[in-house]
Amino acid sequence: MELKTKVNAEAGKQDMVITREFDLPVELLFRAFAEPELMEQWMGTKVLKFEGRKHGSYRAQTTDAQGKVVFSANGTFHEFIPNKKIIRTFEMENTPMGVQLEFYDFEKLTDTASRLNAHIVYQSVAQRDQVLKMPFAQGLNWAHDRLQEIMNKSK
Amino acid sequence: MNLRRDVFQAIADPTRRAILSLVALQAMTPGAIAGNFNSSRQTISKHIQILTECSLLEQKQQGREVYYNLNPDKMKEIADFIEPFRKMWDDRFNKLEAIMKKQI
């Protein structure tokens, strides 16, 4: 089966390209990136600030049940062309991940289908690889935590 | 505890990537590998050592010669490393698609 979401990260390069085709008109796909209420739903984070325009900026934050901040990020828009293009920076706060530059291209395929092309550039090869490895490492951590929980219960 | 070299660090170097693509075609002796580069034999030997330490290259003794070839399992491991990242975005985009379909 052809994978819907593709990640192209060539070895030794400091960028990556994520592509995905959607069964959505390009206008709807763009709205998912341009309206904070919608973004909150699929990103699973709270949008604190969103100025969807050139030189505008955004901030997002996720808190756990105790109100502790577990994720916060911010960035600035360099280009914001409806149904066509978004260029923005993205920085995860309080992490060593650095700032990344993101080029989102929204492409109309048919009246009901569209494609997203996200080109993400990092400061270094090491930083990109760090980001790539994060979900893998998290998966390991979660597996470890679950194991720990089970072990604690069986004590 | 970092006994083994980081595979990502190993493939970050263009010369080492060139070595990998050479031995991907056929098993080669260090001399034959070095013959493809302008760098000194010593430099190439160091690169081969790094690639071997992180298991990207496998050593095989054939008579008096040592041959190196690519370890496909290790290469697959690199590809698999990216899979959880891809899956994360795939899940996120599936959610986006489902939410936006409700907007129609």
Side-chain angles (χ1 to χ4, degrees), chain A residues 5 20 22-23 28 133, chain B residues 6 86 90 94 97 100 104:
Chain A
T5 304
R20 159 86 182 213
F22 292 89
D23 294 325
L28 269 185
K133 281 190 266 186
Chain B
D6 187 331
R86 194 199 65 78
D90 199 44
N94 286 343
E97 203 169 50
M100 296 314 288
I104 299 174

Side-chain angles (χ1 to χ4, degrees), chain A residues 24-57:
Chain A
L24 294 169
V26 72
E27 294 78 16
L28 269 185
L29 174 62
F30 189 84
R31 277 180 62 197
F33 287 83
E35 293 178 24
E37 312 77 51
L38 295 169
M39 241 173 151
E40 284 185 341
Q41 290 180 52
W42 69 271
M43 290 286 293
T45 183
K46 205 165 161 44
V47 178
L48 303 179
K49 179 187 179 188
F50 194 92
E51 301 164 331
R53 56 178 159 79
K54 204 177 167 89
H55 311 310
S57 67

Side-chain angles (χ1 to χ4, degrees), chain B:
Chain B
M1 259 285 290
N2 195 11
L3 295 175
R4 285 200 147 183
R5 282 179 187 270
D6 187 331
V7 179
F8 285 86
Q9 203 181 312
I11 58 172
D13 181 88
T15 306
R16 290 200 283 272
R17 287 204 301 281
I19 293 174
L20 288 175
S21 49
L22 277 174
V23 298
L25 300 171
Q26 56 181 336
M28 291 170 90
T29 62
I33 296 171
N36 286 279
F37 298 92
N38 290 324
S39 324
S40 74
R41 174 99 191 237
Q42 216 174 355
T43 306
I44 297 302
S45 168
K46 183 75 194 156
H47 285 310
I48 293 175
Q49 191 195 327
I50 291 168
L51 290 169
T52 310
E53 278 173 14
C54 63
S55 311
L56 280 166
L57 289 187
E58 288 170 334
Q59 256 179 350
K60 263 187 203 123
Q61 186 81 36
Q62 263 180 36
R64 292 166 64 182
E65 298 272 26
V66 174
Y67 281 80
Y68 286 92
N69 65 292
L70 189 69
N71 178 2
D73 289 341
K74 196 68 189 178
M75 289 303 280
K76 194 174 169 294
E77 208 175 285
I78 300 173
D80 290 346
F81 238 100
I82 297 178
E83 182 52 23
F85 181 85
R86 194 199 65 78
K87 185 81 173 54
M88 176 186 84
W89 279 101
D90 199 44
D91 290 346
R92 218 173 259 179
F93 286 151
N94 286 343
K95 206 166 169 191
L96 183 159
E97 203 169 50
I99 289 165
M100 296 314 288
K101 272 183 178 166
K102 281 189 241 157
Q103 304 291 316
I104 299 174

Side-chain angles (χ1 to χ4, degrees), chain A residues 31-129:
Chain A
R31 277 180 62 197
F33 287 83
E35 293 178 24
E37 312 77 51
L38 295 169
M39 241 173 151
E40 284 185 341
Q41 290 180 52
W42 69 271
M43 290 286 293
T45 183
K46 205 165 161 44
V47 178
L48 303 179
K49 179 187 179 188
F50 194 92
E51 301 164 331
R53 56 178 159 79
K54 204 177 167 89
H55 311 310
S57 67
Y58 67 94
R59 265 201 93 192
Q61 194 175 74
T62 309
T63 49
D64 65 10
Q66 284 75 43
K68 189 173 151 255
V69 177
V70 290
F71 166 86
S72 60
N74 73 83
T76 302
F77 294 106
H78 286 242
E79 203 70 81
F80 199 90
I81 307 169
N83 308 326
K84 286 212 164 22
K85 190 189 256 312
I86 291 175
I87 302 176
R88 67 177 200 191
T89 56
F90 173 88
E91 179 184 18
M92 237 163 100
E93 295 161 14
N94 309 312
T95 72
M97 295 300 178
V99 180
Q100 63 198 52
L101 179 58
E102 307 178 330
F103 301 82
Y104 290 94
D105 282 307
F106 301 84
E107 191 187 338
K108 175 182 174 170
L109 296 176
T110 66
D111 283 344
T112 58
S114 52
R115 183 189 292 133
L116 173 69
N117 198 69
H119 181 196
I120 307 175
V121 185
Y122 298 84
Q123 199 179 350
S124 65
V125 177
Q127 213 164 70
R128 184 205 67 172
D129 289 345

